[in-house]
Amino acid sequence: MHDWLNQHLLQLNLTEEMDYVNGFTRLSYTEEEKQSHQAFIKIAEELGLHIHTDQAGNVWATWKVDDEAPTVAVGSHVDTVSSGGGYDGVAGVLTGLAAIKILKDQEFQPAKNMTVICFASEESSRFGVSTIGSKAVSGILNKKEVEDVTDVDGMSIKESVEAFGLSWESIEQAEQPDKALESFIELHIEQGTQIENNEADIGIVRGVACPIRLQVTASGMANHTGTTPMTNRADAFAAIAPLITFVEEQANEINREHTTPLVATVSTVQLHPNAMNVIPGEVVLGIDIRSVEDSLKEELAARIQAFCQKIEEDRGVNVDIHTLVNNESVFLNPAIHEKLTNVTESLNLKPFTMDSGAGHDVMNMAQKWPSGLIFIPCQEGISHHPKEFATLEDLSKGSHVIAEYLREETRRWE
Amino acid sequence: MHDWLNQHLLQLNLTEEMDYVNGFTRLSYTEEEKQSHQAFIKIAEELGLHIHTDQAGNVWATWKVDDEAPTVAVGSHVDTVSSGGGYDGVAGVLTGLAAIKILKDQEFQPAKNMTVICFASEESSRFGVSTIGSKAVSGILNKKEVEDVTDVDGMSIKESVEAFGLSWESIEQAEQPDKALESFIELHIEQGTQIENNEADIGIVRGVACPIRLQVTASGMANHTGTTPMTNRADAFAAIAPLITFVEEQANEINREHTTPLVATVSTVQLHPNAMNVIPGEVVLGIDIRSVEDSLKEELAARIQAFCQKIEEDRGVNVDIHTLVNNESVFLNPAIHEKLTNVTESLNLKPFTMDSGAGHDVMNMAQKWPSGLIFIPCQEGISHHPKEFATLEDLSKGSHVIAEYLREETRRWE
């Protein structure tokens, strides 16, 4: 199993070795993502699976046994952030295929169909819009809302989807009816260290913490750095800088006050004009806040709001707060959670029930189908980084958990 | 005079009206700068001046009366920052030409030559390197040091100079021998409000405050914003943010402790990867510090150094400080300062002796020739901004001061 996993891990990452200083870059709806989809198709075809690419560019690799029978699905994605790792997404697609291989090698005869979905465009790093493929499948992609969103080079999602060989016009037709699937599970690297900290093997996720994302714009007055006295400035960067510290401090304070954890990050900044001899006239900060306890996110957003109002009053700059995203946290299916826990234990592995701080394709699929999410450990919790790493041992454990789950789910059909 | 100034102000700005929301953008060694040089040449030719373009792209418009006689020079530049104003630089070139017109209209017969220099590439906003043209003339351009510096699109100074129609190989040949000029003066908009605050008409500058510029790089660890607990982060942005506040606080404190003013600005930032769902792994801040009292700049730089060391110790991130620029302040020629003061008073205008917080072409020319700098007021001190504005009245006053100065300087030659 280790050899098979290693070989196909490399193929999906379009590489001959995993250890690259600059990591992997396969942004949404690019040629690089497409090449990785081709690698997925090649592996699936070797396993004898039926390939179908839908209107959003998701690839479905199906073990079809009975047109009338329900279909049990697993899946994840292969696109990455810029200079990301080779396991985020790939681990789920790879272990899904590996589970099928395990069942086929054992000459298992399923009574239902199984499908491994390789979702298109999960990461938000190109367009600021995440999980486009699984949103389309779940029928929650708002085409009009996102079509004009552009990447840093000014290319829109619409243009990119068409350059990918799809029709933007028909992207919403990727939506599947309820009956298309019986259930969905995803495997992902943990991107944290809770499994390891709790000496467990597999994380079984209960809820996904969806973010509140704020865009804070401070507007002062650009002016010459050398000729404008300190007393006569409206420096937007100096005015808003304390907010960066405040967000961290308040997140820590909320964590002291409550047991459910919250994380908050000032993760992006744009400065205008961002020139050495000009006082910053405008600063735009991006803030990402997450917790499965939605009220804690709201609490921090309210404290940020009040702090920005104070900055406005004290500093004579305008501060606008725009809520980019405010998604309620998603709770996964308790019956599937229990089944995943049971099969993990049946393999003599230790399950650990936890929440997910990151969003995944499963949060969209869960809107429509009973869904589950399992995590495998990744080294030091590092992800979205070239140093992201999961062992072949853990990928193998994950493959076996999925295989046993699929075996139980497809054994009988009445 | 007002009509002539207005008409040619528009011509130099390649526009039919000055009031543009987005201001003017004529970056260094671009087609836009070249077009403005062409407008300068056209006006100078209408005044009967002899045109010469040197190896650095500076344009010399000369009233030649005697090949043996010394040459008295005035000048400034016409390039701008991105979305800048139409007066920074242009005011000096325009009033220099207007002064020649005044003298010619009065049928003045000079005994020496006069030249108006339109310097190339004064602003640093394209390449981070300022006053390239006047550095070349003064023989202080270090070709090797700057040739590979690139703009945001990756185009180098060398490539840009060659695209401008010049040879990079011969740019240093623009250097002029001592005897080429007798003296040099520049007129510039004040980019501050001291003239107005002191109810004067014309600023006569004593010293130019040259900057210390620091590049501070904080390196932490990029990681997923949703899955990395607050207690397990090395967020470079959260770590370095207090420095932004510190620079402002300490500049204010130094101003309370000393009479010579100091200004300091955190004016640029780059965040890596600058993505909503990734904790900032690296932050690069640009800090600009100015005072004519060099020891005050050194004092602030030392305090910044100590503060960064403390951040390193407290926060577990690496902080590197790189000094990009550390130029000693330039003091202008006292005899020329007195002459400019005298001609200003002779016109019933009120002179005000002051320092310049901004660098100008004159600071390079002053390394080689006796030099002077005069300021005219600009509205609310705003510059490097579309709202930059100087009245035709003030441009006219400046033109007359230059004309009277040139008359006195070229009246006799023994």
Side-chain angles (χ1 to χ4, degrees):
Chain A
M1 188 83 258
H2 285 201
D3 281 352
W4 191 95
L5 286 167
N6 188 48
Q7 182 191 341
H8 296 92
L9 174 67
L10 295 172
Q11 285 178 16
L12 289 167
N13 279 297
L14 312 170
T15 183
E16 291 180 355
E17 52 169 319
M18 291 303 290
D19 192 13
Y20 274 113
V21 170
N22 294 320
F24 299 100
T25 301
R26 293 187 296 272
L27 299 179
S28 302
Y29 289 128
T30 58
E31 183 54 32
E32 291 73 24
E33 184 184 21
K34 184 165 223 122
Q35 283 176 21
S36 187
H37 282 189
Q38 292 303 328
F40 171 79
I41 290 169
K42 186 165 166 288
I43 304 166
E45 284 178 341
E46 285 166 7
L47 291 171
L49 303 181
H50 171 78
I51 303 299
H52 165 67
T53 301
D54 70 19
Q55 292 90 338
N58 305 303
V59 186
W60 302 65
T62 307
W63 184 357
K64 191 167 279 182
V65 293
D66 182 346
D67 274 350
E68 299 299 307
T71 299
V72 175
V74 308
S76 193
H77 62 97
V78 292
D79 63 311
T80 70
V81 297
S82 186
S83 295
Y87 300 86
D88 179 338
V90 167
V93 166
L94 176 68
T95 53
L97 292 170
I100 302 272
K101 179 177 160 56
I102 291 167
L103 297 174
K104 289 214 165 195
D105 286 351
Q106 295 171 352
E107 297 180 359
F108 173 65
Q109 304 280 342
K112 298 177 190 168
N113 308 304
M114 300 178 210
T115 191
V116 183
I117 313 173
C118 179
F119 289 110
S121 189
E122 193 268 350
E123 298 290 354
S124 63
S125 58
R126 182 172 180 197
F127 296 109
V129 179
S130 68
T131 62
I132 299 174
S134 54
K135 277 187 179 128
V137 170
S138 313
I140 55 177
L141 179 69
N142 189 329
K143 204 175 78 172
K144 286 279 165 243
E145 201 175 274
V146 300
E147 65 185 358
D148 296 326
V149 173
T150 57
D151 65 13
V152 288
D153 299 319
M155 192 168 180
S156 70
I157 291 191
K158 181 179 171 179
E159 288 163 342
S160 308
V161 162
E162 301 210 324
F164 200 73
L166 302 166
S167 150
W168 181 254
E169 217 39 63
S170 59
I171 194 167
E172 290 172 340
Q173 293 169 25
E175 180 177 358
Q176 294 296 311
D178 288 1
K179 65 174 170 37
L181 300 179
E182 187 177 74
S183 62
F184 175 80
I185 64 164
E186 179 168 3
L187 174 145
H188 205 278
I189 57 168
E190 181 192 350
Q191 308 176 280
T193 57
Q194 293 187 62
I195 301 172
E196 190 187 340
N197 296 348
N198 288 278
E199 294 174 347
D201 298 294
I202 299 283
I204 317 278
V205 179
R206 195 181 48 178
V208 178
C210 296
I212 286 183
R213 288 180 173 167
L214 304 177
Q215 185 179 60
V216 177
T217 303
S219 307
M221 178 74 182
N223 218 329
H224 195 291
T225 55
T227 59
T228 316
M230 296 307 292
T231 49
N232 198 22
R233 295 177 166 215
D235 180 332
F237 201 26
I240 205 70
L243 178 64
I244 304 163
T245 305
F246 180 83
V247 167
E248 190 188 55
E249 279 173 3
Q250 294 300 310
N252 287 332
E253 188 170 314
I254 287 173
N255 282 326
R256 281 191 296 272
E257 294 163 358
H258 300 270
T259 51
T260 306
L262 169 140
V263 286
T265 316
V266 181
S267 50
T268 68
V269 63
Q270 278 89 40
L271 216 63
H272 304 280
N274 207 24
M276 195 47 121
N277 60 348
V278 189
I279 296 167
E282 187 181 277
V283 184
V284 184
L285 298 177
I287 307 176
D288 182 278
I289 307 169
R290 307 195 196 202
S291 174
V292 290
E293 181 57 57
D294 291 328
S295 67
L296 298 184
K297 302 184 311 195
E298 297 289 355
E299 169 63 25
L300 181 55
R303 293 188 193 182
I304 288 170
Q305 175 94 43
F307 191 74
C308 288
Q309 212 161 341
K310 194 166 173 328
I311 286 176
E312 259 196 344
E313 287 157 16
D314 293 352
R315 300 281 314 213
V317 299
N318 288 318
V319 184
D320 283 323
I321 303 180
H322 175 57
T323 302
L324 296 174
V325 167
N326 187 354
N327 292 332
E328 283 181 26
S329 296
V330 172
F331 289 88
L332 298 168
N333 184 277
I336 290 184
H337 183 277
E338 193 182 338
K339 286 175 188 173
L340 288 168
T341 304
N342 292 341
V343 293
T344 301
E345 286 170 343
S346 76
L347 290 164
N348 288 318
L349 299 173
K350 187 179 167 196
F352 173 66
T353 291
M354 59 185 293
D355 293 321
S356 172
H360 297 292
D361 288 308
V362 70
M363 70 194 179
N364 299 320
M365 299 298 279
Q367 313 281 324
K368 196 150 183 174
W369 296 284
S371 294
L373 173 60
I374 64 181
F375 282 159
I376 60 169
C378 61
Q379 192 173 277
E380 294 176 37
I382 296 166
S383 79
H384 284 187
H385 189 279
K387 288 188 181 161
E388 180 181 287
F389 178 71
T391 64
L392 292 173
E393 183 64 31
D394 286 326
L395 288 165
S396 179
K397 286 179 186 169
S399 303
H400 283 283
V401 169
I402 297 173
E404 290 319 299
Y405 170 81
L406 289 175
R407 192 197 308 273
E408 291 304 313
E409 290 299 292
T410 64
R411 191 186 290 278
R412 272 182 299 275
W413 175 47
E414 290 107 15
Chain B
M1 189 82 261
H2 284 201
D3 281 353
W4 191 95
L5 285 168
N6 188 47
Q7 184 190 339
H8 296 93
L9 174 67
L10 295 171
Q11 284 177 16
L12 288 168
N13 279 297
L14 312 170
T15 182
E16 291 180 355
E17 52 168 319
M18 292 301 292
D19 193 12
Y20 273 113
V21 169
N22 294 321
F24 299 101
T25 301
R26 293 186 296 274
L27 300 180
S28 301
Y29 289 128
T30 57
E31 183 55 31
E32 291 73 24
E33 183 184 21
K34 182 163 224 126
Q35 284 176 20
S36 187
H37 281 190
Q38 293 302 328
F40 171 79
I41 290 169
K42 186 166 166 289
I43 304 166
E45 283 178 340
E46 285 166 6
L47 291 172
L49 303 181
H50 170 79
I51 301 299
H52 165 67
T53 301
D54 70 18
Q55 291 90 338
N58 304 303
V59 187
W60 302 65
T62 307
W63 184 359
K64 192 166 279 181
V65 293
D66 182 343
D67 273 350
E68 299 299 308
T71 300
V72 176
V74 309
S76 193
H77 62 96
V78 293
D79 63 310
T80 70
V81 298
S82 185
S83 296
Y87 300 86
D88 179 338
V90 167
V93 165
L94 176 68
T95 54
L97 292 169
I100 303 272
K101 180 179 158 57
I102 290 166
L103 296 174
K104 289 213 165 195
D105 285 352
Q106 294 170 353
E107 298 180 358
F108 172 65
Q109 303 280 342
K112 297 177 189 167
N113 308 305
M114 299 178 209
T115 191
V116 183
I117 313 172
C118 179
F119 289 109
S121 190
E122 195 267 350
E123 297 289 355
S124 64
S125 58
R126 183 172 179 197
F127 296 108
V129 179
S130 68
T131 63
I132 299 173
S134 54
K135 277 186 179 128
V137 170
S138 313
I140 55 177
L141 180 68
N142 188 330
K143 205 176 78 172
K144 285 280 166 242
E145 201 175 276
V146 300
E147 65 185 0
D148 295 327
V149 172
T150 56
D151 67 12
V152 288
D153 298 321
M155 191 167 180
S156 70
I157 291 191
K158 180 178 169 178
E159 289 164 341
S160 307
V161 162
E162 303 211 322
F164 200 72
L166 302 166
S167 152
W168 180 253
E169 217 42 61
S170 59
I171 193 168
E172 289 172 341
Q173 293 170 26
E175 180 177 358
Q176 293 297 310
D178 288 2
K179 65 175 171 34
L181 300 179
E182 188 177 74
S183 64
F184 174 80
I185 64 164
E186 180 167 4
L187 175 146
H188 205 277
I189 56 167
E190 180 192 351
Q191 308 176 279
T193 57
Q194 293 188 62
I195 301 172
E196 190 187 340
N197 295 348
N198 287 279
E199 293 176 346
D201 298 294
I202 298 283
I204 317 278
V205 178
R206 194 181 47 176
V208 178
C210 296
I212 286 182
R213 287 179 173 168
L214 305 176
Q215 185 179 59
V216 177
T217 304
S219 306
M221 178 76 185
N223 218 328
H224 195 292
T225 56
T227 59
T228 315
M230 295 308 291
T231 49
N232 197 23
R233 295 179 166 214
D235 181 332
F237 200 25
I240 205 69
L243 178 63
I244 304 162
T245 305
F246 180 82
V247 167
E248 189 189 54
E249 278 174 2
Q250 294 300 309
N252 287 331
E253 188 170 313
I254 288 174
N255 283 326
R256 281 190 296 273
E257 294 163 358
H258 300 270
T259 51
T260 306
L262 169 140
V263 287
T265 316
V266 181
S267 49
T268 68
V269 63
Q270 279 87 41
L271 215 64
H272 304 279
N274 208 24
M276 193 49 120
N277 60 349
V278 189
I279 295 167
E282 187 181 277
V283 184
V284 184
L285 297 177
I287 307 177
D288 182 279
I289 307 169
R290 307 196 197 201
S291 173
V292 290
E293 180 56 54
D294 291 328
S295 66
L296 299 184
K297 301 184 312 195
E298 297 289 352
E299 170 63 25
L300 181 56
R303 293 189 193 181
I304 288 170
Q305 176 93 44
F307 191 75
C308 287
Q309 213 160 341
K310 195 167 171 327
I311 287 177
E312 260 196 346
E313 288 158 14
D314 293 354
R315 300 282 315 213
V317 300
N318 288 317
V319 185
D320 284 324
I321 303 181
H322 175 56
T323 303
L324 296 174
V325 167
N326 186 354
N327 292 333
E328 283 180 24
S329 296
V330 172
F331 289 87
L332 298 167
N333 184 277
I336 291 184
H337 184 276
E338 193 182 338
K339 286 174 189 173
L340 289 167
T341 303
N342 291 342
V343 296
T344 301
E345 285 171 343
S346 75
L347 290 164
N348 288 319
L349 299 173
K350 186 177 168 197
F352 172 67
T353 291
M354 62 185 291
D355 294 319
S356 172
H360 298 293
D361 287 309
V362 71
M363 70 192 177
N364 299 320
M365 299 300 278
Q367 313 281 326
K368 195 148 183 174
W369 297 284
S371 295
L373 173 60
I374 63 182
F375 281 158
I376 60 169
C378 63
Q379 191 173 279
E380 295 176 37
I382 297 165
S383 81
H384 284 186
H385 189 278
K387 287 188 181 160
E388 181 181 285
F389 177 71
T391 65
L392 292 174
E393 183 64 27
D394 286 326
L395 288 165
S396 179
K397 286 178 185 170
S399 303
H400 283 282
V401 169
I402 297 173
E404 290 319 301
Y405 169 81
L406 289 176
R407 192 197 309 274
E408 291 303 315
E409 289 297 292
T410 63
R411 189 186 290 278
R412 271 182 301 274
W413 176 45
E414 290 108 13

